[in-house]
Amino acid sequence: MTSHTVRAEFDPLSGVRVHTPGLELWSGSVDPGPNLFDAHVPPDRARREHERIVETLEAAGVEVHQLADDLESGGYLDELVAEYVTVPDEVDLESALDSFEPREKLQLVLARARLEPHPDAATDLHVERPISNVFFQRDTALVGDRGPVLCEMYESVRQPEVPIVRRAWEALGAEFAHEMSGEPLEGGEFLPVGEFALLGVSAEVDGEEVVIRTSYDAGTQLLDAGAVGYDEVGLVRAPLEADRRLREEHGVESRVMHLLGWCNVAAEGLAVVDADLARHAAVDVYARDGDGYEFDRSTDTLDYLEGQGYDVIEVNPEERWPTNFLAVEGGRVIPVYEPGPDGEYRPELNPTIEALKERGVTVLPDGEGLPRGALTNGAGGIHCMTTPLGRG
């Protein structure tokens, strides 16, 4: 069995994969909407912010893998360049690659670069349908107690990420517990919590399925495939109508693209949730029965968590990413904070972080976390930007 497993989000994080964004980010930075970004993501600022995330993880004792380095270690990068990059015959691409670092090769791949020579001018470099969301490493795979599951992305603009991430896992010698097929499922929906796990799935509105990123049938496919082995798995309906009311009342962005946008755990027994959404999020609980799962009961997410003995920190509706923190182990988390006018940490703007500290949780770095900035304009927080390679 693969060693790349996660029993619970609060177990010690031994390794994590990230991708520090580069050339591929420019398209989404200039034109956010078609690239699924919330707003403009200035590339240099985004890179610097990402480098600070990496520094914080390493200072916490986590082994950090860059996507490019994993691909290079498996001998896949040159193969990907040949597949994704177009150059004229007279260009000596092999010689260029010999001088490039892995990160530089991967930037060409993700930019889907095309070179076009001119006899009397400099060579044109075209960036064609770049793969700009890949710094959100969480979404293309989920990692459970039986190993990684290769996801199927809902949005077509993100589907080219999957074969690249597949090779990165193969470079580590990982065996997939399952590969999704025919139904969309994204890793930002999955929350493993020891004896049980939660998976965000489609909303149900007036009796109709509304898929946001992960379908209900994807959840049952995951269970039927034996990809996880938790005692219980809850399929959590996206609380779409409650989210709409929240946006109207408070003038905020949606939280329900993924489950981790409104629900997370900071330690065993301590959950951080948008309580209003959790009260309106139905959860179908499937219990382990022999080699498979059988439907057991339905409830709401808040009731389910409290029934599992969880103390709940209720987030402020005006905080943007209060639940999208990353636990490096139980009781030690890296969150994103709402900065003041000069980027400073202000307790009154960050009630969730203050509540975590009151419960004895260590907030990294410096008791504050990292400021929300350019990176989070891409529509995700620190949890979204990391994929665990193992916990425990």
Side-chain angles (χ1 to χ4, degrees):
M1 180 61 69
T2 176
S3 62
H4 300 288
T5 58
V6 173
R7 183 191 71 92
E9 195 70 16
F10 47 74
D11 286 340
L13 182 61
S14 54
V16 68
R17 182 186 293 125
V18 301
H19 170 67
T20 301
L23 177 63
E24 77 282 353
L25 197 61
W26 275 96
S27 175
S29 299
V30 175
D31 190 16
N35 291 274
L36 311 181
F37 293 171
D38 279 346
H40 302 289
V41 184
D44 281 349
R45 283 175 51 199
R47 175 184 51 77
R48 291 193 299 270
E49 291 173 8
H50 198 277
E51 288 170 351
R52 191 171 179 209
I53 293 174
V54 171
E55 291 169 0
T56 302
L57 286 164
E58 290 177 336
V62 179
E63 181 180 328
V64 179
H65 289 230
Q66 285 280 353
L67 176 63
D69 293 334
D70 281 352
L71 291 167
E72 181 77 354
S73 72
Y76 290 117
L77 264 181
D78 287 0
E79 171 186 309
L80 285 166
V81 170
E83 184 176 339
Y84 284 85
V85 179
T86 304
V87 299
D89 292 339
E90 59 267 29
V91 171
D92 187 355
L93 182 59
E94 184 175 341
S95 175
L97 294 179
D98 286 342
S99 67
F100 285 179
E101 295 180 354
R103 171 172 160 75
E104 294 164 335
K105 295 180 186 179
L106 184 57
Q107 286 187 66
L108 284 177
V109 171
L110 297 177
R112 294 206 263 207
R114 178 171 63 86
L115 276 71
E116 183 177 315
H118 290 279
D120 301 316
T123 301
D124 285 343
L125 172 64
H126 300 267
V127 176
E128 302 191 335
R129 294 172 294 113
I131 307 170
S132 56
N133 281 270
V134 76
F135 71 96
F136 290 124
Q137 277 288 286
R138 180 72 55 158
D139 296 332
T140 46
L142 66 82
V143 185
D145 58 349
R146 292 185 171 176
V149 172
L150 193 66
C151 294
E152 183 161 319
M153 307 305 289
Y154 178 73
E155 296 283 358
S156 59
V157 72
R158 298 206 62 184
Q159 290 166 4
E161 298 172 40
V162 176
I164 295 172
V165 169
R166 172 200 291 277
R167 289 174 169 101
W169 282 106
E170 291 172 348
L172 298 180
E175 299 175 12
F176 292 112
H178 182 60
E179 298 181 30
M180 293 302 300
S181 176
E183 293 291 339
L185 184 149
E186 299 191 0
E189 303 273 28
F190 183 64
L191 182 61
V193 200
E195 301 303 316
F196 68 97
L198 298 176
L199 180 73
V201 296
S202 50
E204 187 173 27
V205 179
D206 298 329
E208 298 290 330
E209 295 283 322
V210 179
V211 179
I212 300 173
R213 289 294 185 271
T214 297
S215 69
Y216 194 98
D217 286 346
T220 57
Q221 180 185 135
L222 188 77
L223 300 182
D224 292 343
V228 295
Y230 303 94
D231 290 348
E232 290 186 343
V233 177
L235 301 187
V236 181
R237 291 283 193 181
L240 190 59
E241 292 301 315
D243 183 67
R244 285 174 178 161
R245 291 194 298 273
L246 179 79
R247 284 182 283 160
E248 290 171 1
E249 291 173 12
H250 297 279
V252 295
E253 298 288 339
S254 173
R255 294 199 198 278
V256 299
M257 179 169 63
H258 291 133
L259 175 67
L260 272 294
W262 59 271
C263 180
N264 202 348
V265 292
E268 188 168 11
L270 182 61
V272 181
V273 303
D274 184 312
D276 187 55
L277 296 183
R279 289 187 190 96
H280 291 89
V283 54
D284 289 345
V285 181
Y286 289 78
R288 186 140 194 83
D289 183 17
D291 293 333
Y293 286 88
E294 294 291 337
F295 173 78
D296 184 68
R297 64 196 185 279
S298 293
T299 182
D300 67 70
T301 304
L302 187 62
D303 182 69
Y304 182 74
L305 287 169
E306 291 177 338
Q308 294 285 345
Y310 269 72
D311 181 22
V312 171
I313 294 175
E314 298 187 14
V315 305
N316 186 307
E318 295 180 3
E319 294 178 280
R320 182 64 182 106
W321 297 108
T323 65
N324 207 255
F325 55 81
L326 179 68
V328 298
E329 63 180 328
R332 295 176 72 218
V333 303
I334 306 171
V336 172
Y337 71 77
E338 295 292 329
D342 298 318
E344 77 279 12
Y345 180 84
R346 297 174 62 175
E348 67 272 19
L349 298 178
N350 295 281
T352 298
I353 292 176
E354 293 301 302
L356 283 166
K357 291 190 289 186
E358 289 172 3
R359 300 298 211 287
V361 174
T362 299
V363 173
L364 304 174
D366 307 322
E368 298 177 351
L370 297 171
R372 184 163 73 93
L375 274 174
T376 54
N377 286 350
I382 290 174
H383 190 278
C384 291
M385 298 176 203
T386 59
T387 195
L389 300 180
R391 286 184 181 268

